């Protein structure tokens, strides 16, 4: 089933270098509004027992790859605003603006959500910034997670399970 899904994505031409990694289809693409070439991970959520709806997932891929510069700017504004509100009046050593430091590295596409993974090498050199977008690519949630090269790989049944785990894990650590 996953290989038929991979074929549907590959034949769409939206992603290049399309392959299956476990139960996820992975490929490369350019997000024009972000001016970034990224890995796109498409999760058909096969563990849920149903057949993947290629049409919905292809629409989601097209949606994020073709996001307008205006909508992309709004997403970035919300990410920067959330982080700046969290930092508050804390002194900052890096003078580079977060907006210009954010670099989109990868995208994860689900039927009902899209996750964006950014790095900010000057402001957050040891962390990833994950933005969760809803079905209309509206900003939903944000997390900053430590880059842990030795971390074990974990699987989650749903996006909510992933976000619950990350939220619990991050509340037990100091920022």
């Amino acid at each position: 089933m996953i290989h038929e899904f991979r074929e549907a994505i590959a034949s769409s031409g939206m992603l290049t270098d399309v392959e299956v990694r476990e139960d996820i289809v992975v490929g490369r693409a350019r997000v024009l509004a972000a001016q970034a070439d990224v890995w796109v991970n498409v999760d058909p959520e096969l563990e849920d027992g149903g057949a993947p709806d290629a049409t919905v997932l292809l629409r989601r891929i097209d949606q994020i790859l073709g996001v307008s510069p205006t909508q992309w700017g709004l997403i970035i504004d919300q990410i920067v605003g959330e982080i700046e509100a969290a930092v508050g009046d804390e002194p900052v050593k890096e003078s580079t603006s977060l907006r210009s430091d954010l670099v989109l590295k990868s995208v994860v596409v689900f039927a009902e959500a899209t996750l964006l993974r950014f790095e900010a090498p000057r402001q957050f050199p040891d962390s990833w910034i994950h933005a969760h977008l809803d079905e209309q690519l509206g900003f939903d949630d944000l997390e900053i997670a430590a880059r842990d090269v030795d971390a074990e790989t974990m699987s989650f049944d749903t996006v909510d399970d992933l976000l619950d785990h990350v939220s619990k894990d991050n509340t037990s650590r100091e920022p």
Side-chain angles (χ1 to χ4, degrees):
M1 184 178 313
I2 190 71
H3 295 288
E4 291 86 10
F5 183 66
R6 180 224 166 271
E7 268 311 304
I9 291 175
S11 66
S12 75
M14 287 188 265
L15 304 182
T16 61
D17 304 320
V18 181
E19 61 184 68
V20 173
R21 294 187 187 163
E22 297 186 24
D23 285 339
I24 295 175
V25 176
V26 178
R28 301 275 303 161
R30 180 148 185 93
V31 178
L32 290 175
Q35 298 178 6
D37 294 315
V38 299
W39 285 105
V40 178
N41 303 289
V42 184
D43 188 345
E45 302 176 276
L46 296 175
E47 65 276 356
D48 292 346
D53 187 341
T55 304
V56 169
L57 288 164
L58 287 168
R59 191 173 334 130
R60 295 280 178 261
I61 295 167
D62 186 54
Q63 184 182 35
I64 190 60
L65 296 181
V67 65
S68 73
T70 301
Q71 188 172 8
W72 185 253
L74 292 172
I75 292 167
I76 297 301
D77 286 346
Q78 289 174 309
I79 291 169
V80 169
E82 288 283 323
I83 293 172
E84 287 177 348
V87 170
D89 293 332
E90 294 292 318
V92 178
K93 292 180 184 177
E94 180 55 49
S95 61
T96 303
S97 79
L98 180 56
R99 174 179 291 290
S100 62
D101 197 27
L102 282 175
V103 178
L104 181 65
K105 298 308 277 185
S106 65
V107 174
V108 181
V109 176
F110 296 93
E112 296 179 1
T114 301
L115 300 175
L116 306 176
R117 182 181 215 180
F118 294 89
E119 67 177 4
R122 291 183 193 94
Q123 298 251 349
F124 296 96
D126 299 324
S127 301
W128 290 111
I129 298 170
H130 298 144
H132 177 217
L133 307 178
D134 63 21
E135 291 178 50
Q136 290 77 41
L137 297 183
F139 180 82
D140 189 33
D141 198 11
L142 179 78
E143 70 167 306
I144 298 176
R147 290 187 197 199
D148 188 353
V149 181
D150 297 325
E152 69 180 75
T153 302
M154 302 178 82
S155 297
F156 299 94
D157 291 332
T158 66
V159 175
D160 289 335
D161 291 346
L162 167 66
L163 294 173
D164 288 345
H165 173 77
V166 171
S167 296
K168 283 185 226 168
D169 193 43
N170 284 341
T171 58
S172 64
R173 293 188 217 156
E174 288 296 314

